[in-house]
Amino acid sequence: MIDSELFDVKTAILGGGLSGVTLARLLAQKGVEVTVLEREPNFGGLCRSVLDSGFTFDIGGSHIIFSRDAQVLTFMNDMLPQNSQRNCRSAKIFYKGQYIKYPFENGLNQLPKDDLFFCINEFIKTLIAVEKGKLPSPGNFREWIIHTFGKGIADLYLIPYNEKIWKFPTEQMSLHWVEGRIPRPPVEDMIKSAIGIETEGYTHQSVFSYPRKGGIEALVKSIASPVKKFIRTGFNVSSVRKEGEQYLISDGDNIIIADSCISTIPLQRLLESLENVPESVRKSCNELKYNSIACVFIGVRGKLQDISWMYVPDKELGLFNRVSFPSNYSPDVAPAGHSAILAEITYHEGDGVSEMPDRKIIDHVIKALKNMNIIKDREDIVYTALQRHRFAYVIYDLDYQKNIAVVKDFCAKLGIGLVGRFSEFEYLNMDGCIRNAMNFVRNINEG
Ligand SMILES: Cc1cc2nc3c(=O)[nH]c(=O)nc-3n(C[C@H](O)[C@H](O)[C@H](O)COP(=O)(O)OP(=O)(O)OC[C@H]3O[C@@H](n4cnc5c(N)ncnc54)[C@H](O)[C@@H]3O)c2cc1C
């Protein structure tokens, strides 16, 4: 590489999504010299938003700000002092043509009577069997769902929905990530829900905030503001080589020499850029499962129902698993008198959706939303667009824990820090990414 330009930096951060810019900000606050290397023309990753024709859409799917982690929630809210709208969640499940309150177990009395009986009867039967020790402990995600909610809620909603979003059989998924995180709903709440007394589930998310202007990207932009000058966009990391105690990082044209290297890019991409990766490590990395997403953006004339977002478990209704209504989070994301709709379709590379042209996917979504009476008239549509992302959700299959341990161990030996959703290869929301960036910086300080 005779023509390459060489740059010396202290800490190189690979990837300028939320994790990369948060790390940069926190490290810079500690006086560490950082450079963020981001391959796209704009930083923000899955948290970017597109402003077009008066509409603002989150390109990585609909995003809201919420957290159980008080420190992280304060951090996020502090980033948007004048630009935040608080909303009460009004999420639904579109079930047999009706809107059922979300979470499903909190909306049981809205179900047809037979379905309500099936859900509550199976819940109680399961509860008794578990209490008597007659039900073996679950060994996979599907069994965990049945064990926790009973066969009724499992068959009518949780299994079809989960299989629609993950595009993966639930019996081939691990349960390590849900066990202990989602408790069995209290029996009192189930009875209340069945007879129509209001109950609330996932209360940490029942009130959420959203930037008034600029979409979710406003959050990353604000986090990045003190370190913007250290973000180098258009730098597609294609090789990372350790020489002595330093890292040589290249995009094919330029070489960055760094004293330390933290990766927030997908593990698969990091491994592609490393030399001499043992076959066993490559194999484990290749076996890690994830899915991709197509996000369909639709702008319509007029006002829509006051629903934040809805889950659509039924495969027959449409390819999308979730449809959100961002103009109900902030009126400023659509022109006056208009509304915004964002439909999310997950898929795997090589499957039917991955091969469908964008226009066909958009037409499918419009037709399905018209059948569901969400779009009243095609004439109301004033804007459509679509964005795809290869890395959308980590899928925890049964071999996940074995494979991820091999890959992380290899990266640790190289001294490359891993922070972020696809770098740690964990189901991290924004709060999880920020928490892990905070912990990473704290550990460096203590180390
Ligand atoms: C459909 C959907 C909805 C979501 N909704 C919510 C929500 O409501 N609330 C919430 O808290 N979280 C939500 N999330 C999660 C949230 O988007 C992620 O937690 C967060 O954006 C992950 O940030 P990251 O920086 O770790 O990863 P990314 O955003 O993936 O960033 C990685 C960055 O690395 C860059 N990169 C990749 N390869 C290279 C390379 N070779 N060289 C240089 N740069 C590279 C990418 O361009 C990208 O900018 C949602 C996610 C999805 C998919």
Side-chain angles (χ1 to χ4, degrees):
M1 260 187 240
I2 295 155
D3 296 333
S4 304
E5 283 196 63
L6 287 169
F7 299 89
D8 257 313
V9 302
K10 290 280 176 245
T11 296
I13 299 172
L14 317 185
L18 175 72
S19 301
V21 299
T22 306
L23 273 170
R25 181 188 176 105
L26 299 177
L27 286 168
Q29 272 171 1
K30 300 278 177 203
V32 179
E33 206 184 286
V34 290
T35 296
V36 178
L37 304 171
E38 166 56 48
R39 70 177 198 155
E40 298 292 334
N42 297 310
F43 63 84
L46 283 170
C47 292
R48 280 167 296 159
S49 307
V50 61
L51 276 68
D52 191 5
S53 310
F55 290 95
T56 306
F57 284 101
D58 296 339
I59 66 161
S62 168
H63 278 64
I64 57 162
I65 298 170
F66 69 98
S67 186
R68 283 194 174 98
D69 184 328
Q71 189 192 4
V72 171
L73 189 59
T74 305
F75 175 90
M76 291 194 279
N77 287 331
D78 285 354
M79 291 298 137
L80 300 164
Q82 314 293 328
N83 183 23
S84 176
Q85 173 151 334
R86 265 167 75 82
N87 293 289
C88 290
R89 178 185 68 201
S90 168
K92 305 284 178 196
I93 293 140
F94 196 85
Y95 179 81
K96 295 191 176 171
Q98 290 184 58
Y99 292 101
I100 307 292
K101 179 177 174 164
Y102 168 84
F104 193 77
E105 61 273 21
N106 295 84
L108 294 180
N109 79 307
Q110 297 167 332
L111 294 176
K113 287 275 182 284
D114 284 349
D115 291 349
L116 166 59
F117 172 73
F118 182 38
C119 290
I120 205 76
N121 190 37
E122 290 296 327
F123 176 77
I124 291 168
K125 272 168 40 188
T126 308
L127 189 69
I128 294 169
V130 171
E131 300 263 304
K132 286 188 174 167
K134 287 195 173 160
L135 209 62
S137 296
N140 58 50
F141 184 39
R142 186 188 192 91
E143 287 172 7
W144 176 87
I145 292 175
I146 297 170
H147 198 270
T148 308
F149 294 91
K151 196 169 154 35
I153 294 177
D155 283 0
L156 298 186
Y157 172 61
L158 281 174
I159 292 175
Y161 181 73
N162 274 289
E163 296 201 337
K164 200 172 184 190
I165 183 171
W166 303 114
K167 298 284 180 303
F168 206 77
T170 42
E171 67 274 15
Q172 289 175 32
M173 288 177 73
S174 150
L175 48 75
H176 76 277
W177 56 291
V178 275
E179 231 179 8
R181 197 185 292 188
I182 306 177
R184 182 189 308 285
V187 70
E188 295 80 6
D189 279 10
M190 294 293 280
I191 294 169
K192 280 183 180 167
S193 163
I195 62 179
I197 298 175
E198 280 290 303
T199 53
E200 224 32 85
Y202 306 157
T203 48
H204 62 289
Q205 191 209 51
S206 58
V207 174
F208 65 91
S209 56
Y210 188 74
R212 206 172 161 88
K213 286 187 192 300
I216 202 64
E217 188 174 307
L219 175 67
V220 212
K221 274 190 174 156
S222 177
I223 295 173
S225 59
V227 286
K228 235 178 122 183
K229 56 181 176 295
F230 307 126
I231 303 176
R232 191 161 163 177
T233 53
F235 193 107
N236 184 10
V237 174
S238 58
S239 106
V240 178
R241 200 149 48 87
K242 194 162 184 196
E243 267 193 23
E245 289 308 302
Q246 290 189 308
Y247 298 87
L248 270 61
I249 304 161
S250 172
D251 65 350
D253 292 326
N254 306 289
I255 299 176
I256 304 278
I257 303 170
D259 294 343
S260 62
C261 174
I262 311 169
S263 173
T264 75
I265 68 178
L267 273 181
Q268 288 79 353
R269 293 210 168 118
L270 176 67
L271 260 70
E272 278 165 17
S273 68
L274 294 170
E275 291 173 347
N276 305 324
V277 179
E279 195 40 45
S280 58
V281 177
R282 269 200 206 288
K283 187 166 174 287
S284 288
C285 187
N286 290 341
E287 283 179 7
L288 290 170
K289 309 279 189 302
Y290 61 91
N291 65 22
S292 307
I293 198 165
C295 298
V296 177
F297 314 131
I298 303 175
V300 292
R301 275 191 210 93
K303 179 115 184 72
L304 299 166
Q305 285 195 67
D306 193 16
I307 292 176
S308 315
W309 64 85
M310 64 175 192
Y311 300 95
V312 186
D314 190 342
K315 275 191 195 155
E316 306 305 317
L317 282 177
L319 292 167
F320 38 74
N321 58 286
R322 186 169 77 147
V323 181
S324 305
F325 304 97
S327 46
N328 290 339
Y329 312 165
S330 162
D332 290 16
V333 302
H338 292 74
S339 303
I341 304 173
L342 199 172
E344 292 160 12
I345 300 172
T346 51
Y347 62 92
H348 290 293
E349 287 156 70
D351 74 9
V353 173
S354 77
E355 272 148 30
M356 258 168 103
D358 291 358
R359 192 63 247 172
K360 211 169 160 196
I361 297 180
I362 294 172
D363 286 343
H364 162 84
V365 170
I366 291 172
K367 196 168 163 215
L369 292 179
K370 225 179 141 273
N371 288 341
M372 292 160 76
N373 207 26
I374 289 164
I375 293 177
K376 307 278 181 244
D377 192 331
R378 269 180 184 266
E379 299 292 301
D380 293 336
I381 299 170
V382 297
Y383 179 83
T384 58
L386 182 147
Q387 289 254 0
R388 296 180 192 247
H389 304 278
R390 176 173 162 199
F391 293 95
Y393 291 99
V394 166
I395 297 174
Y396 292 120
D397 70 341
L398 295 173
D399 291 329
Y400 168 82
Q401 284 171 298
K402 184 185 75 184
N403 288 325
I404 195 70
V406 172
V407 182
K408 284 190 174 169
D409 184 52
F410 174 72
C411 295
K413 284 189 183 132
L414 280 179
I416 299 177
L418 303 176
V419 181
R421 184 168 167 113
F422 291 102
S423 183
E424 295 178 73
F425 221 78
E426 294 275 355
Y427 186 177
L428 296 175
N429 274 327
M430 296 187 296
D431 61 340
C433 294
I434 294 171
R435 164 51 57 205
N436 291 1
M438 285 175 169
N439 290 349
F440 188 89
V441 173
R442 197 188 55 217
N443 290 342
I444 292 181
N445 266 15
E446 286 169 1

